[in-house]
Tab-separated table of all heavy atoms in Angstrom:
chain	number	residue	atom	x	y	z
A	1	MET	N	-3.065	6.666	-3.131
A	1	MET	CA	-2.252	7.823	-2.789
A	1	MET	C	-1.191	7.957	-3.866
A	1	MET	O	-0.765	6.955	-4.445
A	1	MET	CB	-1.541	7.631	-1.446
A	1	MET	CG	-2.406	7.677	-0.246
A	1	MET	SD	-1.373	7.515	1.246
A	1	MET	CE	-2.600	7.885	2.476
A	2	THR	N	-0.749	9.183	-4.129
A	2	THR	CA	0.290	9.426	-5.115
A	2	THR	C	1.382	10.285	-4.506
A	2	THR	O	1.101	11.208	-3.738
A	2	THR	CB	-0.301	10.138	-6.353
A	2	THR	OG1	-1.369	9.334	-6.874
A	2	THR	CG2	0.744	10.337	-7.432
A	3	TYR	N	2.632	9.937	-4.852
A	3	TYR	CA	3.793	10.670	-4.352
A	3	TYR	C	4.937	10.463	-5.332
A	3	TYR	O	5.245	9.321	-5.698
A	3	TYR	CB	4.164	10.150	-2.965
A	3	TYR	CG	5.414	10.736	-2.355
A	3	TYR	CD1	5.463	12.069	-1.957
A	3	TYR	CD2	6.541	9.962	-2.156
A	3	TYR	CE1	6.599	12.591	-1.375
A	3	TYR	CE2	7.681	10.470	-1.574
A	3	TYR	CZ	7.708	11.796	-1.182
A	3	TYR	OH	8.846	12.323	-0.612
A	4	LYS	N	5.550	11.563	-5.786
A	4	LYS	CA	6.691	11.527	-6.712
A	4	LYS	C	6.402	10.662	-7.939
A	4	LYS	O	7.271	9.954	-8.441
A	4	LYS	CB	7.953	11.040	-6.007
A	4	LYS	CG	8.489	12.023	-4.979
A	4	LYS	CD	9.826	11.593	-4.443
A	4	LYS	CE	10.368	12.636	-3.474
A	4	LYS	NZ	11.668	12.244	-2.897
A	5	GLY	N	5.175	10.701	-8.415
A	5	GLY	CA	4.809	9.952	-9.611
A	5	GLY	C	4.463	8.495	-9.371
A	5	GLY	O	4.138	7.769	-10.312
A	6	TYR	N	4.525	8.032	-8.133
A	6	TYR	CA	4.183	6.654	-7.797
A	6	TYR	C	2.817	6.622	-7.130
A	6	TYR	O	2.456	7.529	-6.394
A	6	TYR	CB	5.229	6.044	-6.848
A	6	TYR	CG	6.550	5.800	-7.536
A	6	TYR	CD1	7.524	6.792	-7.552
A	6	TYR	CD2	6.818	4.600	-8.180
A	6	TYR	CE1	8.731	6.592	-8.193
A	6	TYR	CE2	8.022	4.382	-8.821
A	6	TYR	CZ	8.975	5.383	-8.829
A	6	TYR	OH	10.168	5.186	-9.470
A	7	THR	N	2.093	5.555	-7.398
A	7	THR	CA	0.756	5.396	-6.847
A	7	THR	C	0.718	4.136	-5.996
A	7	THR	O	1.342	3.127	-6.335
A	7	THR	CB	-0.291	5.292	-7.976
A	7	THR	OG1	-0.229	6.485	-8.760
A	7	THR	CG2	-1.697	5.124	-7.425
A	8	ALA	N	-0.016	4.207	-4.914
A	8	ALA	CA	-0.202	3.053	-4.040
A	8	ALA	C	-1.686	2.772	-3.891
A	8	ALA	O	-2.496	3.688	-3.802
A	8	ALA	CB	0.410	3.309	-2.669
A	9	ARG	N	-2.007	1.513	-3.877
A	9	ARG	CA	-3.374	1.074	-3.587
A	9	ARG	C	-3.517	0.997	-2.077
A	9	ARG	O	-2.656	0.450	-1.380
A	9	ARG	CB	-3.610	-0.300	-4.199
A	9	ARG	CG	-4.970	-0.849	-3.873
A	9	ARG	CD	-5.134	-2.250	-4.390
A	9	ARG	NE	-6.418	-2.747	-3.958
A	9	ARG	CZ	-7.154	-3.584	-4.673
A	9	ARG	NH1	-6.710	-4.025	-5.820
A	9	ARG	NH2	-8.315	-3.977	-4.221
A	10	ILE	N	-4.615	1.504	-1.556
A	10	ILE	CA	-4.854	1.532	-0.120
A	10	ILE	C	-6.071	0.671	0.214
A	10	ILE	O	-7.134	0.818	-0.396
A	10	ILE	CB	-5.104	2.974	0.384
A	10	ILE	CG1	-3.986	3.916	-0.068
A	10	ILE	CG2	-5.290	2.988	1.890
A	10	ILE	CD1	-2.607	3.543	0.390
A	11	ASP	N	-5.906	-0.216	1.183
A	11	ASP	CA	-6.989	-1.072	1.655
A	11	ASP	C	-7.049	-1.013	3.177
A	11	ASP	O	-6.095	-0.584	3.831
A	11	ASP	CB	-6.761	-2.524	1.225
A	11	ASP	CG	-6.848	-2.697	-0.283
A	11	ASP	OD1	-7.872	-2.291	-0.863
A	11	ASP	OD2	-5.891	-3.236	-0.865
A	12	PHE	N	-8.159	-1.473	3.717
A	12	PHE	CA	-8.309	-1.565	5.160
A	12	PHE	C	-8.326	-3.034	5.551
A	12	PHE	O	-9.116	-3.818	5.026
A	12	PHE	CB	-9.599	-0.888	5.631
A	12	PHE	CG	-9.803	-0.978	7.116
A	12	PHE	CD1	-8.986	-0.275	7.980
A	12	PHE	CD2	-10.787	-1.784	7.642
A	12	PHE	CE1	-9.151	-0.369	9.357
A	12	PHE	CE2	-10.977	-1.883	9.012
A	12	PHE	CZ	-10.149	-1.167	9.864
A	13	ASP	N	-7.438	-3.416	6.443
A	13	ASP	CA	-7.379	-4.779	6.966
A	13	ASP	C	-8.197	-4.815	8.252
A	13	ASP	O	-7.723	-4.399	9.308
A	13	ASP	CB	-5.919	-5.154	7.227
A	13	ASP	CG	-5.747	-6.530	7.833
A	13	ASP	OD1	-6.750	-7.171	8.225
A	13	ASP	OD2	-4.591	-6.975	7.929
A	14	ASP	N	-9.433	-5.282	8.158
A	14	ASP	CA	-10.303	-5.246	9.331
A	14	ASP	C	-9.933	-6.303	10.373
A	14	ASP	O	-10.276	-6.169	11.535
A	14	ASP	CB	-11.773	-5.342	8.950
A	14	ASP	CG	-12.154	-6.625	8.257
A	14	ASP	OD1	-11.261	-7.309	7.726
A	14	ASP	OD2	-13.354	-6.932	8.233
A	15	ARG	N	-9.207	-7.325	9.983
A	15	ARG	CA	-8.767	-8.329	10.951
A	15	ARG	C	-7.743	-7.725	11.916
A	15	ARG	O	-7.776	-7.986	13.106
A	15	ARG	CB	-8.157	-9.538	10.255
A	15	ARG	CG	-7.795	-10.621	11.257
A	15	ARG	CD	-7.123	-11.859	10.707
A	15	ARG	NE	-7.405	-12.180	9.336
A	15	ARG	CZ	-6.610	-12.936	8.582
A	15	ARG	NH1	-5.497	-13.430	9.085
A	15	ARG	NH2	-6.917	-13.204	7.337
A	16	ASN	N	-6.830	-6.904	11.376
A	16	ASN	CA	-5.785	-6.295	12.197
A	16	ASN	C	-6.036	-4.821	12.483
A	16	ASN	O	-5.218	-4.168	13.122
A	16	ASN	CB	-4.429	-6.471	11.524
A	16	ASN	CG	-4.037	-7.926	11.426
A	16	ASN	OD1	-4.068	-8.646	12.413
A	16	ASN	ND2	-3.688	-8.371	10.230
A	17	ASN	N	-7.149	-4.294	11.966
A	17	ASN	CA	-7.523	-2.898	12.173
A	17	ASN	C	-6.422	-1.934	11.713
A	17	ASN	O	-6.039	-1.016	12.434
A	17	ASN	CB	-7.897	-2.646	13.633
A	17	ASN	CG	-8.776	-1.440	13.800
A	17	ASN	OD1	-9.605	-1.146	12.937
A	17	ASN	ND2	-8.617	-0.729	14.889
A	18	LEU	N	-5.912	-2.186	10.490
A	18	LEU	CA	-4.824	-1.389	9.919
A	18	LEU	C	-5.171	-0.903	8.523
A	18	LEU	O	-5.893	-1.572	7.780
A	18	LEU	CB	-3.549	-2.232	9.772
A	18	LEU	CG	-2.769	-2.601	11.007
A	18	LEU	CD1	-1.658	-3.579	10.643
A	18	LEU	CD2	-2.179	-1.368	11.653
A	19	LEU	N	-4.614	0.231	8.156
A	19	LEU	CA	-4.615	0.681	6.775
A	19	LEU	C	-3.367	0.086	6.129
A	19	LEU	O	-2.271	0.143	6.702
A	19	LEU	CB	-4.575	2.204	6.709
A	19	LEU	CG	-5.805	2.899	7.284
A	19	LEU	CD1	-5.508	4.367	7.529
A	19	LEU	CD2	-6.982	2.742	6.344
A	20	VAL	N	-3.537	-0.491	4.947
A	20	VAL	CA	-2.447	-1.192	4.276
A	20	VAL	C	-2.306	-0.646	2.870
A	20	VAL	O	-3.300	-0.463	2.157
A	20	VAL	CB	-2.732	-2.711	4.223
A	20	VAL	CG1	-1.617	-3.447	3.520
A	20	VAL	CG2	-2.955	-3.259	5.619
A	21	GLY	N	-1.067	-0.392	2.455
A	21	GLY	CA	-0.821	0.104	1.116
A	21	GLY	C	0.178	-0.760	0.385
A	21	GLY	O	1.001	-1.442	0.989
A	22	ARG	N	0.080	-0.719	-0.951
A	22	ARG	CA	1.012	-1.452	-1.803
A	22	ARG	C	1.306	-0.593	-3.020
A	22	ARG	O	0.395	-0.107	-3.689
A	22	ARG	CB	0.414	-2.777	-2.219
A	22	ARG	CG	1.371	-3.602	-3.029
A	22	ARG	CD	0.888	-4.997	-3.186
A	22	ARG	NE	1.846	-5.729	-4.001
A	22	ARG	CZ	1.777	-7.001	-4.233
A	22	ARG	NH1	0.792	-7.698	-3.734
A	22	ARG	NH2	2.671	-7.595	-4.972
A	23	LEU	N	2.592	-0.411	-3.281
A	23	LEU	CA	3.033	0.398	-4.411
A	23	LEU	C	2.697	-0.310	-5.714
A	23	LEU	O	2.958	-1.513	-5.868
A	23	LEU	CB	4.538	0.628	-4.299
A	23	LEU	CG	5.131	1.787	-5.065
A	23	LEU	CD1	4.524	3.106	-4.626
A	23	LEU	CD2	6.633	1.828	-4.873
A	24	LEU	N	2.106	0.410	-6.654
A	24	LEU	CA	1.698	-0.150	-7.936
A	24	LEU	C	2.709	0.215	-9.028
A	24	LEU	O	3.389	1.230	-8.939
A	24	LEU	CB	0.329	0.398	-8.333
A	24	LEU	CG	-0.815	0.152	-7.363
A	24	LEU	CD1	-2.074	0.869	-7.847
A	24	LEU	CD2	-1.076	-1.338	-7.214
A	25	GLY	N	2.790	-0.628	-10.040
A	25	GLY	CA	3.585	-0.307	-11.211
A	25	GLY	C	5.075	-0.564	-11.081
A	25	GLY	O	5.856	-0.089	-11.897
A	26	VAL	N	5.483	-1.312	-10.057
A	26	VAL	CA	6.887	-1.686	-9.900
A	26	VAL	C	6.968	-3.202	-9.776
A	26	VAL	O	6.011	-3.844	-9.339
A	26	VAL	CB	7.552	-1.009	-8.677
A	26	VAL	CG1	7.575	0.495	-8.844
A	26	VAL	CG2	6.864	-1.376	-7.386
A	27	GLN	N	8.108	-3.770	-10.178
A	27	GLN	CA	8.242	-5.226	-10.131
A	27	GLN	C	8.427	-5.742	-8.708
A	27	GLN	O	8.056	-6.866	-8.399
A	27	GLN	CB	9.399	-5.676	-11.006
A	27	GLN	CG	9.115	-5.490	-12.470
A	27	GLN	CD	10.242	-6.006	-13.340
A	27	GLN	OE1	11.360	-6.185	-12.877
A	27	GLN	NE2	9.944	-6.232	-14.597
A	28	ASP	N	9.012	-4.930	-7.844
A	28	ASP	CA	9.216	-5.337	-6.457
A	28	ASP	C	7.907	-5.243	-5.680
A	28	ASP	O	7.018	-4.478	-6.034
A	28	ASP	CB	10.252	-4.435	-5.786
A	28	ASP	CG	11.608	-4.512	-6.461
A	28	ASP	OD1	12.053	-5.633	-6.759
A	28	ASP	OD2	12.204	-3.449	-6.704
A	29	VAL	N	7.796	-6.029	-4.623
A	29	VAL	CA	6.646	-5.941	-3.734
A	29	VAL	C	7.006	-4.948	-2.636
A	29	VAL	O	7.900	-5.203	-1.828
A	29	VAL	CB	6.285	-7.312	-3.128
A	29	VAL	CG1	5.147	-7.167	-2.135
A	29	VAL	CG2	5.929	-8.300	-4.224
A	30	ILE	N	6.336	-3.811	-2.642
A	30	ILE	CA	6.613	-2.761	-1.668
A	30	ILE	C	5.313	-2.437	-0.957
A	30	ILE	O	4.378	-1.905	-1.555
A	30	ILE	CB	7.185	-1.507	-2.349
A	30	ILE	CG1	8.472	-1.881	-3.085
A	30	ILE	CG2	7.425	-0.409	-1.325
A	30	ILE	CD1	9.023	-0.804	-3.971
A	31	GLY	N	5.261	-2.794	0.296
A	31	GLY	CA	4.060	-2.569	1.088
A	31	GLY	C	4.371	-1.737	2.314
A	31	GLY	O	5.531	-1.598	2.722
A	32	PHE	N	3.328	-1.206	2.913
A	32	PHE	CA	3.454	-0.387	4.111
A	32	PHE	C	2.112	-0.399	4.818
A	32	PHE	O	1.096	-0.758	4.224
A	32	PHE	CB	3.901	1.044	3.761
A	32	PHE	CG	3.067	1.687	2.694
A	32	PHE	CD1	2.004	2.501	3.036
A	32	PHE	CD2	3.319	1.462	1.349
A	32	PHE	CE1	1.204	3.077	2.061
A	32	PHE	CE2	2.537	2.041	0.363
A	32	PHE	CZ	1.481	2.855	0.718
A	33	HIS	N	2.119	-0.030	6.090
A	33	HIS	CA	0.867	-0.023	6.845
A	33	HIS	C	0.953	0.988	7.977
A	33	HIS	O	2.041	1.438	8.345
A	33	HIS	CB	0.556	-1.411	7.404
A	33	HIS	CG	1.558	-1.885	8.395
A	33	HIS	ND1	2.731	-2.514	8.013
A	33	HIS	CD2	1.598	-1.816	9.741
A	33	HIS	CE1	3.423	-2.802	9.088
A	33	HIS	NE2	2.754	-2.395	10.154
């Protein structure tokens, strides 16, 4: 997904039945689900 010039990698966590994302290209670890 892309927003305001930032891209996130999207995966599916089948153990928890969740969509999980992680912001790419930044030094900090920024995740969401």
Side-chain angles (χ1 to χ4, degrees):
M1 289 183 171
T2 303
Y3 175 68
K4 291 188 177 179
Y6 290 90
T7 301
R9 177 185 176 147
I10 308 301
D11 293 306
F12 179 69
D13 177 351
D14 62 340
R15 184 183 333 158
N16 296 309
N17 203 34
L18 287 173
L19 295 164
V20 180
R22 183 168 179 174
L23 200 60
L24 302 175
V26 297
Q27 290 183 341
D28 299 315
V29 176
I30 301 171
F32 51 95
H33 64 275

